[in-house]
Amino acid sequence: MPHIFRTYPRALPLAAAALALALGACSDGQVRSEAGAPPRPQQKWNNAPPPPPLSSTIPQDVSVPQSNPDLQALQDDFDLFSWQSFIAVNWPAGPDGNPKPGATIGPDVPTVWENWKESREIFLPGGATPPPWGQDTPPPAVCKGLGDATLHLTQVGKTPNVLDESGEPFETGPLIDQNGQYVRFAILTNQDMFDNIVSNGLYSAAGQKKFGKPANFALPPNSKQVGAIMVKSAWKVLGANDVAARFHTAKALVYTNPGEHEGVQAACKLQTVGLVGLHIAHKTQGEPQWVWSSFEHVDNVPTQGEPIDKAHYNFYNKACTTCQVNQPPPRPWNPNNAYTQPTQVMREIALTDSTKRLNATYQALLSKNYPGTVWANYELISTQWPTNAKNPIDPTGNPAPAFLANTTLETYIQGRVPRASSSCMDCHNNATMTTGLTSDFTYLLQRAQ
Amino acid sequence: MSIATPPGGFDVVIVGSGISGSIIAYQLGKAGKKVLILEGGPPVPKSREAYLQTFFTANAKTPESPYPPVLQGAGSAGNPLGQPDPATLNTPRYTVLQIGAWQNPKQCYFVYGAQAAIAATDPQMTFAFGSSYERVAGGTTWHWLGTSLMHLPNDFQLKTKYGQGVDWPGGIAFYNQLLPYYRAASDVIGVSSDRDPMVDLYKTFNVQPSGVYGPNYDFPMPGIVMSLNDALYQQKVTSLKVDGIPLFVTPTPQGRNSRPGKRRQCAGNTNCIPICPIQAKYDGTVTLAEALQTGNVQIQYQTVASNIRLSGSQVSGIDYLTYDTQTGPVSGRGTAVGKRYILAAHAIETPKLLLMSNGNPGFPNGVANGSGQVGRNLMDHVMYLAWGLAKDPIYAFRGPLSTSGIEAARDGAFRSQRAAYRIEIGNEGWNWAANDPNTTLADFVFGQNNSQLNGNSVNAQGQKLRFDPNLPAFSQLYGSKLVQTLNGVYIRQLRLGYLIEQLPDPDNRVTLSTQYKDHLGLPRPQVTYRIREDYVRNAFVSAKQVSTQIFQALGATEYTMPPADAVLSGSGASSSTFRYQGQNFVFYGAGHIIGTYRMGSSAANSVLNARQQSWDHENLYMVGSGVFPTTATANPTLTIAALALQAADNVLKDLG
Amino acid sequence: MVFDYMDYFVSMSVGLTGFSSDAIAPQLDTIDIKSAYLAAFDENLPTGMAEQILERYKTLFVAGGSKPGSEEQIVGQMLGGSGTSAAQILAMRQLIFLWYAGAWPTVQSDGNSSTGGQTFSTVLSADSYTQGLVWRVMQSHPMGSTTYNYGYWASNPPPLSAYLENPV
């Protein structure tokens, strides 16, 4: 219950104009305004006109049409950017990996981003040079003979500290679905990012040493390129009680990396998996701290303080009264186990009403464009962006919102505690290379051998 | 949770899941041995969020502040800090806040007798012990600094070489045997250090370079970069000598990542104590997780060992009590049985457990106490703090709490007369020394002078300490003048800490309180603690002189505040102040609780043999700094880890 | 038009703290600590005192032409006793402490002691601790929460002016 300043809403005769000018609009205090403050102006997607048409073009940067936007207006702009990006990267891919000409988003087919480079393909044993863009690296030996797959899922958890791109993705624990199976992850980069890594030799420890300075994925000014993009994806193995038609699916080689944890054997299975979480991080011209968009499958989890009204959740059991919420399973952790006690997950920070409205708008748009499409089953959680990108005393650029967690990717650190709870920019700001020099907000580069 | 006894039973039962217990559990688990850990405190939380939240909102940010049970509630008359009554808690522990309340067992977990001395100059004067520990999974490394230095060869032969204290069993041979374990311990902790400064340092102690630290060795990660503060000392102290020994600055080997690895690279949150928010610093939970990952190690949380059972001279089981909530009732009890038993509950709770176990026929003084040495020889590195203000900005409060030290005075001929010390260079301004930034802030906002910066204070050299001579005493500032003044002060703050070795004194001891119990009904530690030897007190005199010389060499102004005369009786009795050679001294705890179940070469005067095995009970081992015969001069954790690795090998040999 | 105390609260706080309004109450305010501080300023004082102080500030500010840059001079008048009581002056100093420490202070003055008394304080929240201006005035970061990277401690920080003008 927010405390309301006792003297606050009170009319006094006052020439406020001069003051407002003098203070430079320092009052965005309408958050406290239950008592009769004017309603916030509606954003454009809350009524007509609709957002831009569905497009396979990834936006280069956020568009800010307002003349003097406040925090919420800018958040809405970035959320729109997130949805546009989500649509574009999930566009059906043609044989060359680019958006398929003449296609539209809707059918459950391999997407553009699934053709990007997996981290496993970039940071090779011995620091070997990765094969060029468009050319695949063979899957791990243990996967040989299992047939073709659209994606190799190689990670089974993520580090709480080195959040989503660590070589040791286990520290706070794996996420176990309702079928007792480990959720799997893969990180991919687009061509602009891959090209930067290759041309600067950052795929190897020796190359990073030679490079000898902080990594920088910024494009030259006025570049027409889209810029560096990383995608981190979370997938569940589809099994009992999963309705495959509700997911974007892939046939994947689900690889268990023995290097991830002591006592775990290498293993590989060809399985049908469903997309449950997707981070898109994009280094745009205007946002040197990157823009961090986070999406989830709508059936993932209920939100604390909101109705638990779905028949089935991917990571929550309504029938369990003794399950502790957001607690990792006990060790030892082994993704090869036939069954592990499922994780009982709830969202700790609710989506804002504005983001919910945008989600509904886009879900309707997608359904209208392609009835029954799986893409209408995804929602934006939020977008983290720098409010003050060039702040000389805050290299994270004062992120908004201050915290952002995806329940499939930051399951166990969803709170609001500075430095400990999930904040994309705060955490990734500490990312460095094997040299110890900063890596421009990506933990991928520390994987170089 | 329930214990799933494996077929064939447990090979080893360990009490405590701190760094020692976790290291041994991991070593044994890796070797396929079945291990059960009894941990008195709660599990390692799913993330650091809750502990960090507690820290951020704590009014007193002491080393214990992030961890349960909570330290402070609403204050009341006679209990201004709102400290909980230890009798209401199932796992109370001693905290820095309790030091001021040492004479009040309603607030202080340790029970102390009344002051027996009638003058502050009396060597028999008793004090509050200065250091604390945690009772949570992962143990006290949650709040360690990360300093990872080795002891020096002469530290192991203090008696032989200087006629002081005792030798470690075997003396120099013990050191040589420990060297490979030091190297292994550096790997466990992931120590960041450059090799060359270590070689340079050890050369001054006539230690021949070897594979452990010499040219054939490198640390797991490169050294942590030094602070601007360090650089000033580095430039200026080389003009000085202490007892003929030239001073120089050495970057400290540290248990925090200088490179990204399994854990994040250190970002300099300046909070190693009480809690690293990003776990860049190693702690016992890292190894505990590895131990549990083996699948051979089980752990029972909120399970407090209460009694050791003997069958003949062998340990046959460890009784325990469980609880569900910190103030709730006992929820269960049982007996843990294994082939070997290892006590790893640190240097207060371990002797307490041994002494509580006094119902076994033939062992009326407790388990492993045939020598009568259990609980005796309680030690710490007693600390002398000195602080000052640099002439030019050195930008304090930035970086890890300490990145360098002056190690040159850790050994030398002087050691026949006075205790050795290492000098830790603080990066955290007057945070420890004067509770800054708050003290200086309050002084300049409200017109007070607790920092000595805003009144008529004068230091021992006769220098006026008012920061801005153009301001009147007790100024109350605001706006830009406040900004300029606070900035000018904070960015110049210097702090030195001397870790002074203490000698084993059999009368410095932990016994069982006959009157006071915790909420489980277990007796609380009764503690007697003195600094009787001139050997130790002489080091305070030296430290004071050296500090003044160092600050002069730096061109800094010294602000070290001498304590007021000690109050000897009553509830406000001074906890840590004594008078020696006409000067008042106050000591601080280093957080190094040492010596209460020491190793030795004879069953007559020690609890453990050189294998860390009980002289009395062949299947009982003990680990942690309680095994140290002397404090030596390095912060103890690296040695604790090395000894735990050595003990694990010994237990493995026993198990065959 | 509703009289917005927040505008005056921020303006007065600019004068008291020596920090710019961009630093303590930025236009895009992701933390919004000012609201917590205004509430604490009100709650911890006798009923009506916070309002009286703000109205006094408003009167002087408007009388002076509502000029940006005049904040410090106006709070100087008020701290000097111009239309303010001793209790109100203490309250304004407590507000300075709150902005700097993120904690509400209790002052025990003792004119007879060499230190002039002592101050105790209660932290409002994790955000108030990390937002404390002490960390910025020392050109650093809160102990336990930095946005800087490995090795920053080996270099000089940005100039003080950057800390006086920007939010964290």
Side-chain angles (χ1 to χ4, degrees):
Chain A
M1 165 87 194
H3 177 82
I4 297 167
F5 186 48
R6 286 202 297 264
T7 56
Y8 173 61
R10 190 183 138 183
L12 283 180
L14 171 70
L19 181 74
L21 202 65
L23 298 175
C26 61
S27 164
D28 57 357
Q30 292 179 17
V31 288
R32 289 174 283 94
S33 64
E34 295 102 293
R40 167 167 299 288
Q42 297 283 293
Q43 298 306 321
K44 54 193 171 187
W45 55 77
N46 292 324
N47 292 312
L54 303 177
S55 162
S56 65
T57 304
I58 300 171
Q60 270 197 313
D61 210 333
V62 67
S63 161
V64 180
Q66 304 92 335
S67 55
N68 187 20
D70 65 8
L71 191 60
Q72 184 61 53
L74 286 163
Q75 183 67 50
D76 292 342
D77 295 338
F78 276 93
D79 283 356
L80 185 64
F81 171 89
S82 292
W83 261 110
Q84 290 176 290
S85 300
F86 182 81
I87 299 292
V89 300
N90 282 303
W91 205 265
D96 62 354
N98 291 320
K100 191 174 178 179
T104 188
I105 185 164
D108 181 25
V109 294
T111 63
V112 169
W113 70 265
E114 285 163 290
N115 286 277
W116 293 353
K117 279 275 187 192
E118 290 174 38
S119 61
R120 181 187 60 84
E121 301 179 282
I122 304 171
F123 304 99
L124 299 171
T129 307
W133 188 258
Q135 190 175 318
D136 284 342
T137 305
V142 69
C143 297
K144 276 195 182 123
L146 288 175
D148 191 24
T150 52
L151 189 69
H152 309 301
L153 298 180
T154 57
Q155 291 183 284
V156 291
K158 73 193 302 288
T159 304
N161 289 336
V162 185
L163 281 179
D164 44 4
E165 293 120 33
S166 154
E168 296 292 328
F170 263 126
E171 298 285 321
T172 48
L175 171 61
I176 314 298
D177 71 13
Q178 288 297 298
N179 295 322
Q181 301 303 306
Y182 280 62
V183 167
R184 308 282 180 151
F185 307 99
I187 304 171
L188 300 93
T189 61
N190 74 345
Q191 189 170 359
D192 279 356
M193 186 157 177
F194 177 76
D195 288 349
N196 183 303
I197 291 170
V198 173
S199 63
N200 290 309
L202 303 181
Y203 54 81
S204 74
Q208 292 178 2
K209 196 172 176 189
K210 192 173 162 199
F211 187 67
K213 58 189 177 197
N216 180 6
F217 289 98
L219 292 170
N222 305 319
S223 168
K224 294 283 182 271
Q225 299 286 103
V226 69
I229 302 177
M230 300 181 269
V231 163
K232 176 149 192 182
S233 57
W235 303 80
K236 77 183 292 302
V237 175
L238 295 179
N241 298 318
D242 294 324
V243 179
R246 287 188 64 77
F247 295 89
H248 169 57
T249 60
K251 284 284 256 187
L253 289 168
V254 178
Y255 169 61
T256 299
N257 183 347
E260 277 193 326
H261 260 277
E262 203 164 333
V264 173
Q265 304 294 314
C268 195
K269 281 184 187 168
L270 182 63
Q271 287 176 309
T272 301
V273 293
L275 183 70
V276 291
L278 193 72
H279 278 323
I280 307 169
H282 187 170
K283 175 118 179 167
T284 66
Q285 291 280 14
E287 277 68 40
Q289 292 86 357
W290 306 57
V291 181
W292 304 79
S293 310
S294 192
F295 288 83
E296 291 191 37
H297 194 271
V298 294
D299 296 341
N300 278 354
V301 300
T303 299
Q304 286 174 353
E306 293 187 358
I308 303 176
D309 52 7
K310 291 204 172 188
H312 171 78
Y313 291 96
N314 296 327
F315 305 105
Y316 185 83
N317 178 0
K318 285 167 75 170
C320 185
T321 52
T322 55
C323 291
Q324 282 196 303
V325 171
N326 297 345
Q327 289 291 333
R331 288 175 190 265
W333 295 328
N334 187 344
N336 294 328
N337 287 347
Y339 181 84
T340 302
Q341 178 68 34
T343 323
Q344 186 83 336
V345 183
M346 293 186 83
R347 187 180 316 289
E348 294 183 24
I349 300 178
L351 279 62
T352 65
D353 289 345
S354 193
T355 302
K356 284 178 180 173
R357 283 192 296 268
L358 181 63
N359 285 338
T361 302
Y362 261 97
Q363 286 157 354
L365 200 61
L366 284 160
S367 293
K368 192 175 163 200
N369 183 60
Y370 193 94
T373 179
V374 298
W375 298 111
N377 297 329
Y378 292 87
E379 63 187 2
L380 173 68
I381 306 308
S382 191
T383 316
Q384 198 183 49
W385 54 283
T387 60
N388 194 348
K390 292 179 178 157
N391 188 342
I393 63 167
D394 182 1
T396 68
N398 307 78
F403 300 98
L404 172 55
N406 185 301
T407 63
T408 68
L409 294 159
E410 293 90 22
T411 311
Y412 306 108
I413 47 171
Q414 295 185 49
R416 298 177 189 269
V417 183
R419 291 253 80 188
S421 298
S422 181
S423 162
C424 322
M425 286 152 62
D426 181 71
C427 178
H428 283 256
N429 174 50
N430 283 156
T432 54
M433 293 181 275
T434 55
T435 54
L437 298 170
T438 52
S439 55
D440 195 3
F441 290 85
T442 174
Y443 280 101
L444 285 173
L445 300 184
Q446 78 173 62
R447 299 180 178 195
Q449 298 184 19
Chain B
M1 287 185 298
S2 60
I3 299 171
T5 306
F10 287 105
D11 293 300
V12 174
V13 174
I14 301 175
V15 178
S17 68
I19 183 171
S20 292
S22 294
I23 284 176
I24 295 181
Y26 181 38
Q27 295 298 313
L28 296 172
K30 257 199 303 197
K33 303 302 177 190
K34 301 297 181 188
V35 178
L36 173 64
I37 306 177
L38 307 179
E39 167 54 53
V44 178
K46 69 184 170 81
S47 79
R48 307 205 147 207
E49 289 171 296
Y51 284 176
L52 203 58
Q53 172 74 18
T54 308
F55 160 76
F56 282 140
T57 53
N59 292 327
K61 292 184 164 42
T62 64
E64 312 82 20
S65 55
Y67 310 105
V70 291
L71 305 180
Q72 275 190 274
S76 61
N79 187 4
L81 301 178
Q83 302 197 70
D85 184 346
T88 65
L89 302 173
N90 287 328
T91 52
R93 84 291 200 204
Y94 190 57
T95 70
V96 168
L97 287 183
Q98 294 173 8
I99 289 175
W102 71 304
Q103 290 293 322
N104 183 352
K106 292 257 182 214
Q107 293 168 32
C108 183
Y109 174 56
F110 288 1
V111 179
Y112 292 99
Q115 181 60 264
I118 51 165
T121 52
D122 185 349
Q124 300 302 329
M125 189 175 185
T126 57
F127 305 111
F129 191 67
S131 291
S132 66
Y133 56 101
E134 303 298 341
R135 297 179 76 181
V136 296
T140 306
T141 44
W142 272 100
H143 81 223
W144 77 306
L145 177 60
T147 302
S148 298
L149 288 158
M150 301 197 306
H151 289 333
L152 303 173
N154 286 342
D155 291 335
F156 295 82
Q157 48 180 356
L158 200 61
K159 184 72 176 177
T160 301
K161 190 86 181 175
Y162 301 114
Q164 301 290 345
V166 294
D167 287 355
W168 292 45
I172 194 74
F174 192 98
Y175 165 76
N176 287 322
Q177 208 179 323
L178 198 57
L179 282 174
Y181 291 104
Y182 265 130
R183 181 167 183 162
S186 291
D187 291 340
V188 167
I189 290 171
V191 174
S192 293
S193 175
D194 290 326
R195 179 187 57 202
D196 292 350
M198 288 298 109
V199 173
D200 292 345
L201 172 67
Y202 287 110
K203 272 184 190 160
T204 69
F205 299 117
N206 294 317
V207 178
Q208 291 306 308
S210 78
V212 176
Y213 64 87
N216 298 325
Y217 177 66
D218 223 342
F219 289 85
M221 291 194 190
I224 301 272
V225 297
M226 293 166 83
S227 66
L228 293 172
N229 189 26
D230 296 335
L232 176 65
Y233 288 98
Q234 199 169 33
Q235 289 161 23
K236 302 292 185 182
V237 301
T238 47
S239 63
L240 301 175
K241 288 183 177 178
V242 173
D243 291 315
I245 300 166
L247 299 189
F248 60 98
V249 169
T250 301
T252 306
Q254 295 158 65
R256 59 179 55 83
N257 282 13
S258 66
R259 293 290 179 271
K262 289 181 180 178
R263 305 189 313 278
R264 266 199 259 179
Q265 185 184 31
C266 175
N269 283 283
T270 324
N271 213 55
C272 327
I273 300 169
I275 184 168
C276 175
I278 62 170
Q279 208 185 18
K281 181 191 74 186
Y282 171 88
D283 60 60
T285 70
V286 174
T287 305
L288 178 59
E290 290 177 314
L292 296 173
Q293 181 64 26
T294 65
N296 293 320
V297 177
Q298 290 182 50
I299 183 164
Q300 292 292 307
Y301 300 105
Q302 297 176 189
T303 300
V304 179
S306 57
N307 180 55
I308 301 170
R309 291 177 181 232
L310 299 179
S311 172
S313 70
Q314 295 285 297
V315 175
S316 59
I318 295 183
D319 297 336
Y320 58 79
L321 305 171
T322 65
Y323 62 91
D324 292 335
T325 63
Q326 186 56 233
T327 55
V330 171
S331 61
R333 46 187 85 226
T335 304
V337 177
K339 299 182 180 74
R340 296 290 184 282
Y341 297 85
I342 296 166
L343 305 185
H346 211 347
I348 301 294
E349 300 299 327
T350 295
K352 196 187 92 179
L353 173 60
L354 293 167
L355 295 170
M356 286 193 296
S357 308
N358 57 7
N360 294 293
F363 296 91
N365 298 322
V367 163
N369 200 17
S371 63
Q373 291 293 310
V374 168
R376 294 187 184 272
N377 309 303
L378 173 65
M379 292 175 275
D380 194 351
H381 287 122
V382 282
M383 290 199 70
Y384 177 82
L385 289 194
W387 60 102
L389 218 50
K391 197 170 51 188
D392 298 315
I394 46 84
Y395 299 106
F397 294 93
R398 295 165 84 246
L401 290 179
S402 175
T403 37
S404 289
I406 300 169
E407 314 291 339
R410 284 175 56 195
D411 190 30
F414 65 85
R415 243 170 145 185
S416 58
Q417 303 299 321
R418 70 151 173 92
Y421 48 71
R422 68 172 290 259
I423 310 174
E424 174 191 280
I425 298 172
N427 287 334
E428 86 305 11
W430 298 355
N431 179 255
W432 185 6
N435 193 29
D436 254 355
N438 276 17
T439 300
T440 294
L441 170 66
D443 280 357
F444 285 108
V445 172
F446 299 117
Q448 298 172 343
N449 186 37
N450 293 288
S451 63
Q452 308 181 92
L453 292 157
N454 191 30
N456 299 310
S457 306
V458 177
N459 72 7
Q461 293 77 50
Q463 293 169 296
K464 293 177 178 173
L465 297 181
R466 195 184 308 165
F467 177 69
D468 184 346
N470 299 317
L471 287 175
F474 304 103
S475 285
Q476 301 184 67
L477 307 180
Y478 64 94
S480 47
K481 191 68 190 167
L482 179 65
V483 164
Q484 287 161 22
T485 304
L486 292 176
N487 176 260
V489 170
Y490 292 139
I491 65 175
R492 290 178 172 80
Q493 291 186 341
L494 303 165
R495 189 273 291 172
L496 294 172
Y498 293 70
L499 287 78
I500 297 170
E501 68 172 333
Q502 192 172 9
L503 291 176
D505 176 343
D507 295 333
N508 283 351
R509 62 187 299 201
V510 180
T511 57
L512 303 178
S513 172
T514 53
Q515 193 181 350
Y516 293 98
K517 293 182 165 42
D518 64 25
H519 195 246
L520 296 174
L522 303 176
R524 295 191 353 223
Q526 171 104 22
V527 173
T528 306
Y529 187 64
R530 302 181 177 91
I531 302 172
R532 292 204 280 208
E533 304 84 359
D534 284 350
Y535 177 79
V536 182
R537 293 175 171 227
N538 289 339
F540 277 85
V541 176
S542 169
K544 185 174 180 180
Q545 287 169 351
V546 170
S547 300
T548 302
Q549 289 168 12
I550 290 175
F551 288 137
Q552 278 172 354
L554 263 51
T557 305
E558 186 169 7
Y559 277 75
T560 313
M561 207 184 304
D565 288 344
V567 177
L568 289 164
S569 59
S571 63
S574 304
S575 58
S576 324
T577 304
F578 64 92
R579 191 168 178 82
Y580 184 65
Q581 293 188 358
Q583 306 175 83
N584 288 341
F585 290 97
V586 62
F587 71 87
Y588 299 80
H592 305 161
I593 313 174
I594 295 172
T596 50
Y597 42 97
R598 68 181 181 185
M599 293 183 290
S601 51
S602 157
N605 61 17
S606 59
V607 179
L608 307 170
N609 63 26
R611 303 178 81 234
Q612 292 166 260
Q613 182 183 32
S614 162
W615 289 108
D616 300 344
H617 318 289
E618 175 260 335
N619 66 341
L620 177 63
Y621 284 77
M622 296 172 216
V623 289
S625 44
V627 310
F628 293 12
T630 57
T631 65
T633 53
N635 307 48
T637 301
L638 186 74
T639 305
I640 289 171
L643 287 169
L645 290 162
Q646 189 179 47
D649 274 2
N650 290 335
V651 173
L652 278 172
K653 267 179 220 151
D654 286 4
L655 289 168
Chain C
M1 182 77 195
V2 169
F3 172 42
D4 191 344
Y5 279 90
M6 182 58 83
D7 285 350
Y8 292 103
F9 178 72
V10 170
S11 176
M12 184 176 81
S13 296
V14 165
L16 290 171
T17 63
F19 281 68
S20 74
S21 78
D22 279 347
I24 63 174
Q27 193 168 354
L28 301 178
D29 197 345
T30 58
I31 308 290
D32 192 30
I33 202 66
K34 62 185 183 296
S35 294
Y37 287 174
L38 176 55
F41 184 54
D42 180 37
E43 269 175 40
N44 285 288
L45 298 178
T47 305
M49 187 186 283
E51 185 180 358
Q52 289 157 15
I53 292 169
L54 290 174
E55 288 190 12
R56 177 66 188 156
Y57 179 82
K58 179 205 72 181
T59 301
L60 293 173
F61 188 75
V62 173
S66 300
K67 286 188 197 126
S70 66
E71 298 91 347
E72 187 167 327
Q73 182 256 324
I74 291 167
V75 301
Q77 289 177 40
M78 292 173 71
L79 291 168
S82 166
T84 44
S85 66
Q88 289 172 333
I89 292 169
L90 175 62
M92 291 171 72
R93 296 200 173 283
Q94 287 174 302
L95 179 59
I96 299 174
F97 188 95
L98 177 62
W99 274 108
Y100 271 85
W104 185 261
T106 303
V107 186
Q108 294 180 355
S109 292
D110 180 357
N112 295 323
S113 84
S114 63
T115 62
Q118 279 185 298
T119 299
F120 302 92
S121 58
T122 304
V123 177
L124 263 56
S125 66
D127 279 342
S128 78
Y129 170 79
T130 55
Q131 286 289 307
L133 300 179
V134 281
W135 311 114
R136 284 185 249 177
V137 83
M138 64 171 64
Q139 295 167 260
S140 184
H141 57 80
M143 294 179 81
S145 183
T146 184
T147 54
Y148 304 139
N149 282 306
Y150 175 78
Y152 74 83
W153 53 89
S155 311
N156 286 355
L160 177 61
S161 58
Y163 289 85
L164 300 178
E165 290 160 12
N166 289 287
V168 295

